[in-house]
Amino acid sequence: MADFKIGIMTESFKLPLEQSLKKARELCVDGVQLNAASRELPVDEVTPGRIKEVRAMLDSYGLEVSAVCGDFGGHGFCVEADNPARIERSKRAVDMTLELGGKIITTHIGVVPPDQNSKRFSVVRDACNKLAEYAHKSGAFFAIETGPEPSEVLALLLDSLDSKGVGVNMDPANLVMVIGEDPVKAVHNLKDYIVHTHAKDGVMRKLCDPQAVYDFFAEGGIEDMRLSDYFLEVPLGQGDVDFPAYLAALGEIGFGGFLTVEREVGGTPEADIKLAVEFLRGLV
C-alpha cells in the first residue's frame, strides 16, 4: 500500500478554525484542508496579518495545508458572463494558498458536457485554461472535484488544456452517489491528473440527473427535489466505496498524497471524523 498522508477538512468539525486545528492535532493527522470562502479565512477580505496568524497556528500544531477549497458556489465556470470575476477570485485563492504554505486549490467547475464541440464545453475549457496558466506559473494546482460527470468526460477536458496547472481532486463518494461510477475505474482514467483526494463515503439510492443535482446546489434548492431520495453520505467504511480496492488503485498509479477526510452531514462530526481517521489508518 502506498505511503499516504491523512488530512481533515477543518470545516467538517463545525467548530471555529483554531479549535478545528487543535482537534486535528489531537488526532495526529498530517494536515488540513482550509476554505477560502469561510467566514474565518475569506479570500476577498483576508489580511496579511490574518494569513500570518493562521500559518503560525498551522506550524505550532505541526500541520501541513493539504489543500484550500476555492469553491465559490453557483454554476462553477459554466456561465460565461460570470467567469471573469470568478477567475480573478480564484487567482486570489491561489495567492492565499501559497502564502499559507499550500499549493492545491480544490473547486467544482460545474457539469462538463460530453460534447467537446458544445458551447458549454468551450466556456469551461477557456476558464480552465486561464486557471491552469496562472496556477502553473505560481507552482500551484487547481484540482477539479470529481462527481458530476463520468471520469472519461473529465479526462477529455483535462487532455484538451494547454497547461498541467489544473488537476483532479478525487472524491470517490461523489462518483458512487451521483453517477454510480466505480472509483477504481476513475482513478485509472484520471491517473495523470490526481493531486489530492477526499476521503468520503456514500450510497446511491436511485439514479438521478447529475445536472439537476448540481443545479440544486447552485440555486439553493429546487422545489420537490429531496437529495436524500437519491443518495446519502455515510461515515467512512459504511458506504459503497470499496476503500481497499480504491486505495490500491491510487497506489498503483503512484499517488502518495493526502486522503483528506470530509464529512458534510451528520450530527456527530467529531466522532465521525475520528472513526474515519481510524478506518484509514487500518488500511494504510
Side-chain angles (χ1 to χ4, degrees):
M1 188 69 70
D3 187 19
F4 301 110
K5 295 179 179 181
I6 296 176
I8 300 170
M9 183 177 280
T10 54
E11 291 212 322
S12 292
F13 283 112
K14 297 179 173 63
L15 294 170
L17 179 58
E18 186 165 9
Q19 288 180 246
S20 297
L21 295 177
K22 287 180 179 178
K23 294 291 185 183
R25 181 65 272 168
E26 289 168 8
L27 291 172
C28 299
V29 296
D30 301 290
V32 291
Q33 179 172 1
L34 305 172
N35 188 346
S38 66
R39 287 181 298 176
E40 294 192 80
L41 204 61
V43 71
D44 296 319
E45 302 171 17
V46 70
T47 64
R50 177 56 173 165
I51 291 174
K52 185 176 179 180
E53 179 184 32
V54 172
R55 183 152 189 178
M57 285 193 287
L58 290 163
D59 290 343
S60 70
Y61 295 129
L63 294 167
E64 297 179 48
V65 175
S66 74
V68 170
C69 179
D71 184 356
F72 302 118
H75 293 275
F77 296 95
C78 290
V79 180
E80 188 171 18
D82 295 344
N83 284 351
R86 284 181 169 272
I87 290 167
E88 289 308 308
R89 198 178 188 195
S90 297
K91 289 177 180 179
R92 292 197 293 274
V94 172
D95 298 339
M96 186 180 79
T97 299
L98 292 168
E99 290 166 1
L100 288 165
K103 64 176 184 179
I104 296 171
I105 303 89
T106 66
T107 189
H108 288 275
I109 62 170
V111 183
V112 181
D115 182 3
Q116 295 183 74
N117 296 315
S118 68
K119 175 65 174 177
R120 174 179 281 197
F121 192 98
S122 176
V123 166
V124 173
R125 180 175 55 205
D126 181 66
C128 286
N129 265 327
K130 290 182 171 66
L131 296 175
E133 180 184 13
Y134 190 82
H136 185 68
K137 281 194 309 183
S138 307
F141 293 94
F142 278 98
I144 299 169
E145 187 160 332
T146 55
E149 63 282 311
S151 58
E152 294 98 329
V153 173
L154 182 54
L156 283 174
L157 173 68
L158 293 165
D159 288 343
S160 74
L161 301 182
D162 300 326
S163 166
K164 297 297 184 183
V166 169
V168 167
N169 176 42
M170 176 64 70
D171 188 315
N174 289 351
L175 292 166
V176 164
M177 293 189 298
V178 180
I179 61 173
E181 181 171 350
D182 178 5
V184 170
K185 173 188 171 186
V187 165
H188 288 290
N189 285 339
L190 297 166
K191 60 184 174 61
D192 295 330
Y193 298 105
I194 300 171
V195 295
H196 187 261
T197 78
H198 279 164
K200 191 168 76 181
D201 207 348
V203 295
M204 177 189 282
R205 290 181 162 175
K206 65 179 180 180
L207 282 169
C208 62
D209 174 5
Q211 186 67 61
V213 169
Y214 282 83
D215 283 348
F216 181 98
F217 290 122
E219 298 167 16
I222 295 175
E223 188 178 0
D224 296 330
M225 185 176 190
R226 294 186 305 175
L227 295 183
S228 59
D229 290 343
Y230 296 92
F231 55 80
L232 187 66
E233 183 191 325
V234 298
L236 219 62
Q238 298 180 22
D240 290 339
V241 177
D242 183 344
F243 272 93
Y246 170 63
L247 296 183
L250 287 173
E252 287 168 10
I253 68 163
F255 177 80
F258 270 95
L259 310 172
T260 298
V261 174
E262 180 184 24
R263 183 70 170 134
E264 296 187 280
V265 300
T268 56
E270 188 174 343
D272 290 347
I273 292 167
K274 182 179 179 182
L275 177 70
V277 170
E278 292 171 349
F279 175 76
L280 290 174
R281 287 208 173 106
L283 293 175
V284 304

